[in-house]
């Protein structure tokens, strides 16, 4: 999150994306917004039951070439079986032709000796830590010794199911002929993430034979896995899957609106969704990281006043987050007291929250941290002052979701060109959105009300933030009214 002059900004206008506007489902003959109840997740109840393999269900009869019969292979095969069953029922509803399962499944060990490493997609699997779909022979393969166990250990068994649902999404693309070999890779990856999201809804609805997932911490963990396997460096030529914000967006589109919305993803839709959001570290010496200091928070407060102006601007106390407030509580590291209209900040604690873990040798971080994971919490407390100015309730689920949504509005506008330095010498950087999404999934402080309470669903918290970034303030006020 550098100063305004440090980053070259895109000039395209951030606009609403028609793909994301569906978001309604029919209940007893009438259209009902999936956002009517803040305690629901894209229209489903927020549940806290088990997530993972169902107990007492026989394993699939599917086999994998070169498999070893391990628990990891069994997990993967059961996942493929449920995914195929789902698409057998869904494919004909949206696509021409008949669904046919992939022709081959192959398992390998990235730890195997070179002489024992089988080929996959005409390439050796020696030291290959990956899972993939191969168009050449319509097969899906996975590494059972490093990748899948690491995913399982870090994010749980459902993250393995998510990986394979993504790869099967590529098979669906090929079968439905909705992408061509020359289409941008980002389109193929976003569609596959979206198809995986649609399958995850099927699991959440209880439709999968081998697996179940709750819509609170279970779904949160799956989305956290999606964040971890994002493109961390947008300037790397190998970055073709999308940022965490983009990947989670695609998953949420599929979960909310199903395969029909997924096939609508193309390069033009992705470009509209990206708008003027920063896509590169070029010209940014800090590579997206901007120290959280009093001086920089003052600059951010100027930007907040310009982006979401209110009649009574809050006062700022930078000596600590503890407050003695008749209608508010301390929410470290930033608190808001409505009675005094004051935002109190513990700068060292906020700076600690905003410390980047990008240099830590961890290929799959449970949480992606950085400066914006701190800045967005500061922004969210300002949005409580905005809600008070609007005469809205400051306690409750919708308050927290409005805070997340309005924080998204600010985030999107921090990327826009043309704001003078007098309105805050600070701007959005590549990677900031990913840090915000990760924080919203893990603790949700930026989506909390004046008492620090938030909804249990990280999906809903991120969805609210994303709506603000992409669609703007009117959406926040109408959706969470």
């Amino acid at each position: 999150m550098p100063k305004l002059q440090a980053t070259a900004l895109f000039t395209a206008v951030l606009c609403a994306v028609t793909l994301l506007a569906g978001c309604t489902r029919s209940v007893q003959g009438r259209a009902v917004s999936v956002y009517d109840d803040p305690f629901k997740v894209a229209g489903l109840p927020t549940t806290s039951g088990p997530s993972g393999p169902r107990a007492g269900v026989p394993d699939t009869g599917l086999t994998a070439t070169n498999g070893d019969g391990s628990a990891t292979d069994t997990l993967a095969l059961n996942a493929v079986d449920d995914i195929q069953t789902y698409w057998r029922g869904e494919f004909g509803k949206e696509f021409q032709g008949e669904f046919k399962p992939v022709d081959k499944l192959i398992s390998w060990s990235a730890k195997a000796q070179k002489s024992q490493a089988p080929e996959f997609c005409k390439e050796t699997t020696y030291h290959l830590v990956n899972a993939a779909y191969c168009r050449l022979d319509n097969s899906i393969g996975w590494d059972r010794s490093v990748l899948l166990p690491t995913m399982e250990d870090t994010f749980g068994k459902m993250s393995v199911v998510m990986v394979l649902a993504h790869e099967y999404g590529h098979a669906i693309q090929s079968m439905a002929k909705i992408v061509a070999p020359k289409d941008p890779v980002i389109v193929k990856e976003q569609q596959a993430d979206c198809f995986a999201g649609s399958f995850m809804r099927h699991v959440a609805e209880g439709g999968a034979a081998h697996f179940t997932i709750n819509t609170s911490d279970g779904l949160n963990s799956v989305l956290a896995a999606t964040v971890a396997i994002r493109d961390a460096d947008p300037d790397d030529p190998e970055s073709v899957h999308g940022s965490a914000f983009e990947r989670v967006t695609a998953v949420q589109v599929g979960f909310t609106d199903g395969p029909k919305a997924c096939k609508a993803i193309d390069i033009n839709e992705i470009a509209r969704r990206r708008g003027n959001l920063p896509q590169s570290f070029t010209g940014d010496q800090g590579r997206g990281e901007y120290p959280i200091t009093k001086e920089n928070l003052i600059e951010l407060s100027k930007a907040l006043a310009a982006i979401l102006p209110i009649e009574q601007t809050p006062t700022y106390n930078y000596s600590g987050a503890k407050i003695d407030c008749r209608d508010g509580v301390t929410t470290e590291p930033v608190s808001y007291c409505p009675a005094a209209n004051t935002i109190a900040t513990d700068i060292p604690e906020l700076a600690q929250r905003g410390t980047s873990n990008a240099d830590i040798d961890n290929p799959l971080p449970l949480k992606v941290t950085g400066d914006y994971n701190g800045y967005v919490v500061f922004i969210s407390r300002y949005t409580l002052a905005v809600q008070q100015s609007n005469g809205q309730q400051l306690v409750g689920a919708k308050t927290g979701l409005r805070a997340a949504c309005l924080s998204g509005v600010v985030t999107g506008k921090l990327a826009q060109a043309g704001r003078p330095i007098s309105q805050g010498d600070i701007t959005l950087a590549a990677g900031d959105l990913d840090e915000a999404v990760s924080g919203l999934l893990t603790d949700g402080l930026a989506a909390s009300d004046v008492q620090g309470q938030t909804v249990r669903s990280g999906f809903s918290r991120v969805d609210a933030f994303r709506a603000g970034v992409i669609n703007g303030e009117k959406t926040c006020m109408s959706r969470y009214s």
Side-chain angles (χ1 to χ4, degrees):
M1 195 175 186
K3 292 185 175 183
L4 275 172
Q5 62 265 35
T7 303
L9 298 177
F10 293 78
T11 58
V13 177
L14 187 67
C15 61
V17 181
T18 56
L19 172 67
L20 305 182
C23 301
T24 59
R25 291 180 182 271
S26 179
V27 177
Q28 294 182 344
R30 65 187 181 90
V32 176
S33 170
V34 297
Y35 307 106
D36 281 350
D37 187 342
F39 294 103
K40 289 191 174 182
V41 183
L44 297 181
T46 301
T47 55
S48 56
S51 285
R54 293 184 184 274
V57 176
D59 293 328
T60 178
L62 293 176
T63 60
T65 299
N66 196 55
D68 66 350
S70 63
T72 299
D73 268 354
T74 299
L75 175 66
L77 289 166
N78 284 339
V80 171
D81 192 11
D82 280 5
I83 294 164
Q84 290 186 158
T85 299
Y86 167 74
W87 283 113
R88 189 173 286 111
E90 290 294 316
F91 187 86
K93 297 177 183 178
E94 298 296 340
F95 306 110
Q96 298 292 323
E98 181 183 355
F99 172 81
K100 294 181 180 179
V102 293
D103 293 331
K104 184 179 180 182
L105 302 171
I106 182 169
S107 166
W108 67 82
S109 169
K111 296 179 180 179
Q113 296 180 4
K114 193 170 186 178
S115 61
Q116 297 176 329
E119 279 196 349
F120 172 69
C121 215
K122 295 190 176 181
E123 299 287 343
T124 181
T125 58
Y126 180 61
H127 287 178
L128 179 62
V129 181
N130 201 4
Y133 168 71
C134 179
R135 291 183 64 254
L136 297 178
D137 61 0
N138 191 33
S139 65
I140 289 177
W142 58 83
D143 162 37
R144 65 174 179 266
S145 65
V146 180
L147 176 65
L148 297 194
T150 301
M151 294 292 295
E152 180 180 345
D153 290 345
T154 307
F155 301 104
K157 295 181 186 295
M158 292 308 296
S159 67
V160 174
V161 179
M162 181 70 176
V163 167
L164 292 165
H166 170 96
E167 298 309 334
Y168 218 104
H170 289 304
I172 296 301
Q173 291 172 332
S174 180
M175 198 180 311
K177 297 181 173 60
I178 57 174
V179 293
K182 293 184 179 180
D183 283 337
V185 177
I186 185 66
V187 172
K188 300 173 184 177
E189 297 300 334
Q190 287 273 279
Q191 283 186 356
D193 281 338
C194 188
F195 286 140
S198 66
F199 171 73
M200 280 298 165
R201 185 183 184 97
H202 170 73
V203 179
E205 290 175 334
H210 294 96
F211 298 95
T212 184
I213 189 169
N214 69 57
T215 55
S216 53
D217 61 332
L219 191 54
N220 293 356
S221 294
V222 166
L223 292 177
T226 304
V227 170
I229 54 178
R230 75 202 186 284
D231 289 335
D233 183 356
D235 298 312
D236 185 342
E238 298 299 317
S239 293
V240 294
H241 287 77
S243 67
F245 182 76
E246 290 176 321
R247 298 203 70 173
V248 169
T249 292
V251 172
Q252 291 189 318
V253 168
F255 191 94
T256 303
D257 289 331
K260 184 175 184 178
C262 302
K263 69 180 182 181
I265 295 176
D266 59 20
I267 194 60
N268 293 326
E269 184 276 324
I270 293 172
R272 288 195 301 271
R273 194 181 342 133
R274 284 177 168 177
N276 65 343
L277 298 173
Q279 304 294 324
S280 172
F281 290 132
T282 301
D284 182 357
Q285 294 182 348
R287 292 184 64 78
E289 296 306 308
Y290 195 49
I292 296 177
T293 63
K294 179 178 178 179
E295 292 72 22
N296 292 339
L297 290 173
I298 289 173
E299 293 302 316
L300 179 55
S301 71
K302 294 177 185 178
L304 291 170
I307 293 169
L308 291 178
I310 52 179
E311 186 173 340
Q312 297 293 328
T313 302
T315 57
Y316 295 89
N317 178 355
Y318 296 105
S319 61
K322 291 184 178 180
I323 56 174
D324 182 8
C325 182
R326 62 177 172 81
D327 54 358
V329 301
T330 297
T331 56
E332 295 277 5
V334 190
S335 306
Y336 175 64
C337 177
N341 195 26
T342 296
I343 296 172
T345 305
D346 184 330
I347 296 176
E349 286 298 317
L350 189 63
Q352 179 62 37
R353 181 184 177 90
T355 300
S356 173
N357 63 354
D359 295 330
I360 298 175
D361 187 18
N362 183 359
L364 291 173
L366 189 62
K367 180 178 180 180
V368 176
T369 63
D371 66 340
Y372 208 69
N373 195 25
Y375 282 120
V376 75
V377 173
F378 184 86
I379 292 169
S380 74
R381 300 307 86 182
Y382 178 85
T383 70
L384 294 176
V386 173
Q387 293 184 59
Q388 175 167 259
S389 179
N390 292 337
Q392 295 168 308
Q393 291 288 327
L394 297 185
V395 176
K398 286 194 175 182
T399 301
L401 294 176
R402 277 196 302 268
C405 191
L406 290 171
S407 296
V409 172
V410 171
T411 300
K413 289 186 177 294
L414 283 172
Q416 291 184 350
R419 179 167 46 84
I421 290 178
S422 62
Q423 294 181 0
D425 190 8
I426 195 165
T427 189
L428 198 70
D432 284 347
L433 286 166
D434 293 1
E435 294 159 6
V437 166
S438 185
L440 286 163
L441 283 173
T442 50
D443 63 31
L445 185 56
S448 64
D449 64 11
V450 74
Q451 296 182 346
Q453 300 299 309
T454 186
V455 296
R456 288 184 297 159
S457 168
F459 184 105
S460 296
R461 299 191 295 254
V462 172
D463 204 32
F465 176 77
R466 181 171 61 87
V469 172
I470 294 176
N471 295 327
E473 186 177 359
K474 288 184 178 179
T475 294
C476 300
M477 295 308 179
S478 62
R479 181 181 289 186
Y480 303 111
S481 61

